[in-house]
Amino acid sequence: MIEQVNMIVIHVKELERSIRFYRDVLRFTLDVEEEGMAYFSIGSESKKVSLMLHLTDEPEPADHGISLDFKVNDVEAMIRAIKEMGVVIVQEPIEREWGVKEAVIADPDGYKLWVVEPMNE
């Protein structure tokens, strides 16, 4: 029986560039960097999930398949802040009928990341 998500692994082409993005733009906590890998913590205490960047020659971002969706408090403020950092905005914030405001950004390897603000919490 699965108890929880243990780790999310993202294959990247340039590790240092991706570390800067996930640490400086998304503000994830960098725990360890070693031999082609970097480990981050997302969330806190019992809700903590690990994210690993793993160096590979040819990462394959996809438009279909698994997506990463991150909960934020204020999607508009986040998008304004990261635009100033030169991050690619794939989709500006939009309110969805299922009760969220969402935007889509791209990481340095072209992976699409959803940032979502719940509207009815």
Side-chain angles (χ1 to χ4, degrees):
M1 180 180 212
I2 295 173
E3 295 179 18
Q4 70 182 54
V5 172
N6 182 51
M7 184 177 302
I8 299 166
V9 179
I10 300 175
H11 297 273
V12 301
K13 191 168 187 170
E14 293 179 34
L15 187 60
E16 291 304 319
R17 176 183 71 178
S18 293
I19 287 172
R20 285 191 305 275
F21 177 83
Y22 286 90
R23 181 191 60 213
D24 301 342
V25 174
L26 298 184
R27 303 206 187 272
F28 293 166
T29 302
L30 177 61
D31 296 325
V32 177
E33 179 183 353
E34 61 185 17
E35 300 180 33
M37 294 175 277
Y39 297 86
F40 291 85
S41 295
I42 305 169
S44 59
E45 298 173 28
S46 65
K47 295 181 179 182
K48 188 179 286 188
V49 173
S50 294
L51 181 136
M52 178 179 70
L53 302 178
H54 191 290
L55 188 61
T56 188
D57 292 334
E58 294 298 323
E60 296 185 25
D63 285 334
H64 304 287
I66 295 173
S67 302
L68 295 178
D69 183 317
F70 299 106
K71 180 179 174 184
V72 299
N73 291 326
D74 185 341
V75 72
E76 299 272 355
M78 180 176 184
I79 295 301
R80 276 193 306 275
I82 65 176
K83 271 185 183 178
E84 294 175 9
M85 297 178 184
V87 173
V88 174
I89 309 300
V90 177
Q91 174 194 292
E92 293 286 338
I94 186 170
E95 288 188 25
R96 298 293 190 181
E97 59 272 11
W98 49 88
V100 300
K101 185 183 291 187
E102 68 178 19
V104 182
I105 63 175
D107 87 346
D109 286 293
Y111 291 107
K112 292 179 183 173
L113 308 172
W114 274 251
V115 288
V116 178
E117 175 187 347
M119 300 300 291
N120 33 350
E121 280 192 355

